[in-house]
Amino acid sequence: MTTRDGEHQHIPGVPPLGERVDPLGAVRAPGDPEWDVFLTGTVFLDIIFTGLDSAPVRGTESWARGMGSSPGGVANMATALARLGLRTSLAAAFGDDHYGEYCWDALEQGEGIDLSRSRTIPGWHSPVTVSMAYEDERTMVSHGHEAPPPAPPGGDPAPLAGGGPPRARAAVASLAPGRRQRWIADTAAHGARIFADTGWDDTGRWELAALPDLELCEAFLPNAQEAMRYTRTACPRAAARALAEKVPLAVVTLGAEGACAVDAATGETAEVPAIEVEALDPTGAGDVFVAGFVTGTLAGWPLADRLAFAGLTAALSVQEFGGSLSAPGWSEVAAWWQYVQGCSDQDPEGLARYAFLGGLLPETWHPWPRARAVPTIGFGRCG
């Protein structure tokens, strides 16, 4: 579906062309968990204004040339996982307003995400973030209130409906200083592999001991600044080695330089450079990187391939505006691979790094670069 402004509208319930890929098809077996990944958190309605020439000026009205709306917050990660073919289950609180209804439908019908452990809260309005992109930067304004009781054991922000976390191969968590999240322990007790990132430590202490759930994690994926502050090191690679003394697998993202990792169990190290792209909006790129790495890990790929794939998906995402709007699927990956192989300025040795994609990609895809669907509230029901 295409709007009168030429923007493409994804119709909920219709899988995008060429994205029906199961990256875990070779490792699935009878008796496996129903879900590949479980996660919980707060869903925001994201409204993204694009095409601004400069920052808004006080006392004036600014017009944006483009706009999109989509579920944000933890929905960025859930969408990135689902678009890469992982069977994803999300527990979150949704308002009973139109924003909450829209986010629920977009995630469940549009992305195929399981929401059986989510709940709608009467009288609670959905958290909202307005993002303005200009001059290669973004400014965000958010508003929301914590979901009201009843809260689950451990005080998690998104109460779990349906009797606690489901059985899943893995779970993705965001660790916060001084806060233990009961659901992480419950999910790990069911056999899930825990992948975690973290945010900026507003306390300024930067103590790994203040992340009590880190001991339950198989992999920890901070960015370079976070990793160096937590380990008191001056080099991201040294930080990765120090973190590998605390978790089985330490992955440090290096921004435009790529990512590095240390596998404590095997002693293996890997570093993969980033793909050079014209970045429009970095919103959600970290979530996309984690989703790509989780996908490769569950599929059993070598460490360097996992880093390369995670970096590729993140690079594809920053070329589009928005968080979940920009998360790539297999169609985008396939189209990129076809595109770069036909470019004379590409380094053959660099392209060889991604040769492992050959047997994974769909046979049909959209041309690249491709604008992602830009959902707009009000187009959810056709006919």
Side-chain angles (χ1 to χ4, degrees), residues 35-61:
W35 304 110
D36 296 325
V37 186
F38 171 74
L39 65 166
T40 184
T42 302
V43 172
F44 286 73
L45 171 71
D46 282 357
I47 300 175
I48 305 101
F49 290 103
T50 66
L52 289 165
D53 295 321
S54 61
V57 178
R58 186 176 65 176
T60 67
E61 180 179 14

Side-chain angles (χ1 to χ4, degrees), residues 176-236:
R179 179 174 167 230
R180 186 179 293 277
Q181 301 177 68
R182 173 70 178 273
W183 75 268
I184 297 177
D186 291 345
T187 306
H190 291 151
R193 305 162 70 176
I194 309 298
F195 297 77
D197 61 9
T198 188
W200 194 257
D201 185 355
D202 291 329
T203 70
R205 298 189 181 94
W206 296 99
E207 297 174 350
L208 286 172
L211 302 177
D213 293 320
L214 187 62
E215 62 185 15
L216 299 173
C217 297
E218 173 176 325
F220 185 43
L221 301 94
N223 64 35
Q225 288 298 319
E226 295 161 350
M228 290 188 291
R229 287 177 181 269
Y230 270 120
T231 58
R232 310 296 194 270
T233 57
C235 168

Side-chain angles (χ1 to χ4, degrees), residues 272-276 305 308-309 312 333-358 361 368:
V272 175
I275 296 173
E276 293 186 12
D305 289 354
F309 183 71
L312 169 60
V333 176
W336 171 85
W337 181 237
Q338 181 72 12
Y339 174 81
V340 295
Q341 289 187 93
C343 293
S344 59
D345 60 346
Q346 293 293 319
D347 175 20
E349 184 177 344
L351 286 182
R353 168 66 271 168
Y354 300 91
F356 69 92
L357 292 171
L361 301 178
W368 189 90

Side-chain angles (χ1 to χ4, degrees), residues 77 169-175 184 192-198 211 213-222 240 243-244 246-252 260-265 289-290 293-298 303 306-307:
M77 178 73 74
R169 296 172 186 267
V172 178
S174 181
L175 306 184
I184 297 177
R193 305 162 70 176
I194 309 298
F195 297 77
D197 61 9
T198 188
L211 302 177
D213 293 320
L214 187 62
E215 62 185 15
L216 299 173
C217 297
E218 173 176 325
F220 185 43
L221 301 94
L243 289 173
K246 303 292 183 180
V247 290
L249 182 57
V251 180
V252 177
C260 62
V262 177
D263 188 326
F289 182 95
V290 173
F293 190 83
V294 170
T295 300
T297 301
L298 296 183
L303 181 57
R306 287 179 264 166
L307 287 182

Side-chain angles (χ1 to χ4, degrees), residues 90-291:
L90 169 66
F94 290 80
D96 66 346
D97 51 12
H98 289 307
Y99 291 170
E101 179 183 359
Y102 164 76
C103 289
W104 186 293
D105 288 347
L107 293 172
E108 184 179 59
Q109 302 300 321
E111 305 294 346
I113 296 169
D114 168 61
L115 298 179
S116 62
R117 284 169 171 75
S118 294
R119 65 186 182 117
T120 298
I121 302 176
W124 182 65
H125 75 77
S126 301
V128 175
T129 293
V130 175
S131 175
M132 293 165 283
Y134 54 87
E135 298 174 352
D136 298 326
E137 292 290 347
R138 70 189 191 278
T139 297
M140 294 183 288
V141 179
S142 298
H143 174 72
H145 302 281
E146 186 174 349
D156 293 344
L160 308 184
R167 285 187 63 232
R169 296 172 186 267
V172 178
S174 181
L175 306 184
R179 179 174 167 230
R180 186 179 293 277
Q181 301 177 68
R182 173 70 178 273
W183 75 268
I184 297 177
D186 291 345
T187 306
H190 291 151
R193 305 162 70 176
I194 309 298
F195 297 77
D197 61 9
T198 188
W200 194 257
D201 185 355
D202 291 329
T203 70
R205 298 189 181 94
W206 296 99
E207 297 174 350
L208 286 172
L211 302 177
D213 293 320
L214 187 62
E215 62 185 15
L216 299 173
C217 297
E218 173 176 325
F220 185 43
L221 301 94
N223 64 35
Q225 288 298 319
E226 295 161 350
M228 290 188 291
R229 287 177 181 269
Y230 270 120
T231 58
R232 310 296 194 270
T233 57
C235 168
R237 294 154 190 85
R241 292 191 294 271
L243 289 173
E245 298 177 1
K246 303 292 183 180
V247 290
L249 182 57
V251 180
V252 177
T253 56
L254 309 175
E257 296 182 26
C260 62
V262 177
D263 188 326
T266 65
E268 180 183 6
T269 63
E271 182 169 346
V272 175
I275 296 173
E276 293 186 12
V277 295
E278 181 182 353
L280 295 180
D281 186 357
T283 304
D287 294 328
V288 172
F289 182 95
V290 173

